[in-house]
Amino acid sequence: MTSHKHFNDLYAFLQIAKLGSFTQAAAILNVQPSALSHRINELERRLKIKLLNRTTRAVSTTEAGQQLLERVMPMFTCIQQELCALSDYTHNMSGKIRINCPERPAFELIYPKIHHFLAQNPGVEIEIFINNNYCDIVAERFDFGVRSGKDLAQDMTAVPISAENTMALIASPYYLSQYGEPKQLQEITNHRCIVIALNPEFRVSEWEFIEQKQLHKIRVPENLVFNSQYLIKQAAIDGLGITWLPRTSVQADIQAGRLIELLNKTAITYPPMYLYYPPNKHKTTAMTAFIELLRWQKNE
């Protein structure tokens, strides 16, 4: 017995055996008693055994029917419990959320918001995997990914989680006192430069600027390479070279005098960061709340 119809007939049998009445069972199952009787007859014919004793006054199980009832009822009860558990997973604030995210948005955009969220929703688990490289979130079973708007695949649903992203060319006062300050874009190549590596093969050593409304790409020397933006910033603060980072990441250091922004009139602005996921992604209540938690508001 493998078809859905057979399982439906078994469920009908369980209702009749439990209630001792075709009429009551038919009302629960929303069918006519005569149709229910026909289904049980067909079930008994397929099994080649009588399951129910029927009189005009009562319905009772045969010995075989009682055995089937005792063995199958717990199975259907377990199935119903599992379905209820799935319903809880969908409608309650619970379950695991897995995010693939570059280092900066993980630290600056996600981590500051999850403390209160987890405190309010203790049934939610969050996994954040730092990955500066590109990732197929579907193949690697992530619920969400985070990328700049310029790097998003068009077939993804994307939710902005930041304002536009302006870059800053920066160095420490100590470095500038030793090596001088570049006055023009091309002079950057004469300096020690600290660059980020997205993976062992690819380094972001082509820095972009806007001058006189034209895009300029400057290929800089790779004097010091890290795959961590925060090590890059610390190296710049320690006077090891010039680097190029999002202004939001270094604004506090600029204001405190630990870093100086250079050629700021040539700073380029990129699209916002986005939380993205496949358009057909099934979202639990917790996932929907997480999206709204991160969604960028203009007044932020």
Side-chain angles (χ1 to χ4, degrees), residues 140-184:
E140 298 193 31
R141 299 178 63 83
F142 287 101
D143 297 305
F144 303 109
V146 175
R147 286 286 173 243
S148 169
K150 67 184 179 68
D151 298 324
L152 281 177
Q154 293 184 352
D155 60 346
M156 290 289 175
T157 298
V159 177
I161 61 173
S162 77
E164 290 183 323
N165 183 27
T166 300
M167 301 298 290
L169 184 69
I170 50 171
S172 72
Y174 172 79
Y175 175 87
L176 296 176
S177 69
Q178 297 295 308
Y179 298 98
E181 180 177 337
K183 301 298 183 181
Q184 298 180 7

Side-chain angles (χ1 to χ4, degrees), residues 212-229:
Q212 297 179 352
K213 300 183 179 180
Q214 297 293 318
L215 175 65
H216 294 264
K217 297 183 179 183
I218 307 296
R219 178 71 66 178
V220 301
E222 300 172 4
N223 301 109
L224 186 58
V225 179
F226 294 107
N227 70 341
S228 166
Q229 180 176 294

Side-chain angles (χ1 to χ4, degrees), residues 238-257:
D238 292 340
L240 300 183
I242 289 176
T243 194
W244 184 64
L245 292 174
R247 186 178 288 160
T248 55
S249 301
V250 296
Q251 189 65 48
D253 300 289
I254 293 172
Q255 292 175 347

Side-chain angles (χ1 to χ4, degrees), residues 33 36 49 52-53 70 83 113 122 140 145 164 169 177-178 187 227 241 251 256 258-259 267 279 300:
L36 190 56
I49 195 166
L52 295 172
N53 292 313
E70 292 173 358
L83 291 175
K113 294 186 175 182
E140 298 193 31
E164 290 183 323
L169 184 69
S177 69
Q178 297 295 308
E187 293 180 14
N227 70 341
Q251 189 65 48
R258 292 185 290 269
L259 292 170
E300 287 186 359

Side-chain angles (χ1 to χ4, degrees), residues 23 168 232:
T23 302
I232 289 174

Side-chain angles (χ1 to χ4, degrees), residues 44-296:
E44 291 176 330
R45 182 185 63 78
R46 290 194 301 271
L47 295 176
K48 298 180 181 179
I49 195 166
K50 192 172 182 61
L51 299 174
L52 295 172
N53 292 313
R54 295 174 251 190
T55 69
T56 56
R57 295 185 178 181
V59 177
S60 62
T61 55
T62 64
E63 183 176 350
Q66 185 63 29
Q67 176 180 298
L68 182 63
L69 173 67
E70 292 173 358
R71 292 185 178 181
V72 175
M73 180 65 82
M75 298 178 188
F76 274 87
T77 300
C78 183
I79 290 171
Q80 289 175 328
Q81 289 172 344
E82 291 300 322
L83 291 175
C84 288
L86 283 178
S87 178
D88 288 343
Y89 179 77
T90 302
H91 296 100
N92 294 341
M93 295 290 279
S94 61
K96 183 179 292 184
I97 301 174
R98 301 182 76 238
I99 309 109
N100 185 281
C101 184
E103 183 184 31
R104 183 183 71 87
F107 275 89
E108 295 182 9
L109 303 176
I110 298 179
Y111 183 75
K113 294 186 175 182
I114 63 174
H115 185 276
H116 181 71
F117 182 80
L118 291 174
Q120 294 295 313
N121 304 288
V124 176
E125 301 173 21
I126 294 178
E127 293 183 3
I128 300 175
F129 290 83
I130 303 297
N131 182 4
N132 292 322
N133 204 3
Y134 298 105
C135 165
D136 184 340
I137 62 170
V138 177
E140 298 193 31
R141 299 178 63 83
F142 287 101
D143 297 305
F144 303 109
V146 175
R147 286 286 173 243
S148 169
K150 67 184 179 68
D151 298 324
L152 281 177
Q154 293 184 352
D155 60 346
M156 290 289 175
T157 298
V159 177
I161 61 173
S162 77
E164 290 183 323
N165 183 27
T166 300
M167 301 298 290
L169 184 69
I170 50 171
S172 72
Y174 172 79
Y175 175 87
L176 296 176
S177 69
Q178 297 295 308
Y179 298 98
E181 180 177 337
K183 301 298 183 181
Q184 298 180 7
L185 289 177
Q186 291 302 327
E187 293 180 14
I188 298 172
T189 59
N190 299 325
H191 285 264
R192 297 185 58 81
C193 293
I194 311 168
V195 304
I196 191 167
L198 299 184
N199 58 51
E201 289 76 37
F202 180 70
R203 290 92 183 273
V204 184
S205 55
E206 188 174 72
W207 297 351
E208 296 183 334
F209 304 88
I210 296 292
E211 189 172 50
Q212 297 179 352
K213 300 183 179 180
Q214 297 293 318
L215 175 65
H216 294 264
K217 297 183 179 183
I218 307 296
R219 178 71 66 178
V220 301
E222 300 172 4
N223 301 109
L224 186 58
V225 179
F226 294 107
N227 70 341
S228 166
Q229 180 176 294
Y230 290 89
L231 282 175
I232 289 174
K233 183 174 76 169
Q234 188 59 52
I237 291 172
D238 292 340
L240 300 183
I242 289 176
T243 194
W244 184 64
L245 292 174
R247 186 178 288 160
T248 55
S249 301
V250 296
Q251 189 65 48
D253 300 289
I254 293 172
Q255 292 175 347
R258 292 185 290 269
L259 292 170
I260 294 174
E261 184 173 5
L262 311 168
L263 301 171
N264 63 337
K265 292 183 179 180
T266 66
I268 192 170
T269 297
Y270 292 123
M273 299 299 294
Y274 285 84
L275 186 78
Y276 68 93
Y277 52 91
N280 59 350
K281 172 73 178 177
H282 170 72
K283 296 186 292 298
T284 64
T285 300
M287 290 178 189
T288 300
F290 187 75
I291 292 170
E292 294 308 312
L293 173 74
L294 297 185
R295 187 187 298 274
W296 182 75

